[in-house]
Amino acid sequence: MIKHEQGGPAGLFLTLEGPDGAGKTTQARLLQERLQALGKEVLLVREPGGTAVGEIIRGLLLDPRYPEMTVACEVLLYSAARAQLVVEQIRPALARGAVVISDRYWDSTLVYQGLAGREDLAMIQSINFWATGGLAPHRTFLLDLEAEKGLLRVRGAKGDLRPAGGDRIEQRELDFHRRVRRGFLELASWEQKRICVIPADKAAPLVHDCIWEKVIPLLQ
Ligand code: TYD
């Protein structure tokens, strides 16, 4: 693994990661509220996006008119949006001493495009190290959930209650989600100091308690 600069100056940089449907967004909000209740300045950002340039890139990545987009192209777009977010939002907030919570960061690219999408992992690491000036999170919380359960949660939110893995397309989708889950766990095993695995198959307040327990020592 490449050597990362740890977190940068003054503030605290936390990221939330995990497969789709693991509940990152809810946990990011709960963590933000808890920290604010202690009087901390908190910047919550969501990838890709969070800057004018990043929002345009987000639109491009989510646009169904470009199914021909290659995985390498995705790597570059996600990393480009991240480069902008680091300079415009994350570094200035850390310099002010704020807590920054990012809903996804470079681990998502390493897993979705690298380990699950089968693009060159070392290249993705180099690109991201360069794009962010080597800004690594102090701590990353990996919300871990079985692929089937994550997919069900995502579909449930859209009102679609079919079981996961029915037809061929769904099976492909499920296989990809399984690779994503495995990929995140693999990454966590390589970087045990930075990445905390949090079981996410329980009620949101209980998952939050597990995260909070690990945040407290970082605030001192
Ligand atoms: P996100 O907005 O976090 O969606 P959700 O809240 O539903 O999980 O992420 C959107 C999708 O983008 C998600 O499937 C993961 C994917 N993604 C990548 O493939 N690579 C990346 O680098 C990032 C940041 C996200």
Side-chain angles (χ1 to χ4, degrees):
M1 297 294 283
I2 49 179
K3 271 222 157 298
H4 301 139
E5 169 201 331
Q6 275 294 316
L12 180 64
F13 183 22
L14 306 174
T15 61
L16 288 161
E17 296 282 1
D20 301 62
K24 289 174 293 88
T25 309
T26 305
Q27 291 305 324
R29 220 190 39 245
L30 290 172
L31 186 56
Q32 177 189 31
E33 286 165 6
R34 189 91 176 242
L35 287 162
Q36 283 172 338
L38 290 182
K40 303 272 178 204
E41 180 195 348
V42 182
L43 173 72
L44 175 56
V45 291
R46 184 181 146 192
E47 282 213 353
T51 64
V53 170
E55 289 301 326
I56 304 267
I57 295 174
R58 181 184 182 87
L60 202 53
L61 279 161
L62 300 182
D63 195 326
R65 282 178 302 172
Y66 309 119
E68 70 275 25
M69 187 182 284
T70 66
V71 179
C73 182
E74 286 178 17
V75 169
L76 294 169
L77 288 176
Y78 280 117
S79 308
R82 187 165 300 133
Q84 201 64 31
L85 186 65
V86 165
V87 167
E88 278 190 36
Q89 301 273 352
I90 300 180
R91 280 196 191 273
L94 291 175
R96 291 195 302 273
V99 181
V100 176
I101 306 171
S102 188
D103 186 342
R104 299 198 183 281
Y105 192 60
W106 65 31
D107 295 317
S108 281
T109 316
L110 288 171
V111 169
Y112 279 86
Q113 280 68 44
L115 293 167
R118 300 187 169 127
E119 259 304 335
D120 184 328
L121 198 63
M123 182 61 78
I124 298 175
Q125 284 179 319
S126 301
I127 288 169
N128 271 275
F129 190 67
W130 171 74
T132 61
L135 184 71
H138 288 104
R139 229 20 129 253
T140 295
F141 300 104
L142 166 56
L143 302 185
D144 179 49
L145 188 71
E146 275 173 40
E148 286 87 344
K149 290 189 178 157
L151 274 180
L152 272 179
R153 280 195 194 170
V154 172
R155 289 198 185 143
K158 292 184 193 148
D160 176 354
L161 297 176
R162 286 171 300 157
D167 60 31
R168 212 155 50 85
I169 294 174
E170 285 178 28
Q171 190 57 49
R172 247 196 352 236
E173 203 184 347
L174 185 57
D175 286 345
F176 182 78
H177 272 75
R178 286 191 174 132
R179 290 209 299 279
V180 167
R181 185 198 185 198
R182 272 202 307 272
F184 272 122
L185 289 173
E186 206 173 341
L187 210 60
S189 75
W190 297 337
E191 286 198 68
Q192 294 182 19
K193 250 187 95 186
R194 174 174 66 89
I195 305 178
C196 305
V197 181
I198 306 283
D201 188 15
K202 42 190 171 185
L206 298 178
V207 176
H208 170 71
D209 288 344
C210 292
I211 295 175
W212 186 244
E213 206 174 274
K214 297 191 187 303
V215 169
I216 292 168
L218 303 175
L219 297 175
Q220 272 124 38

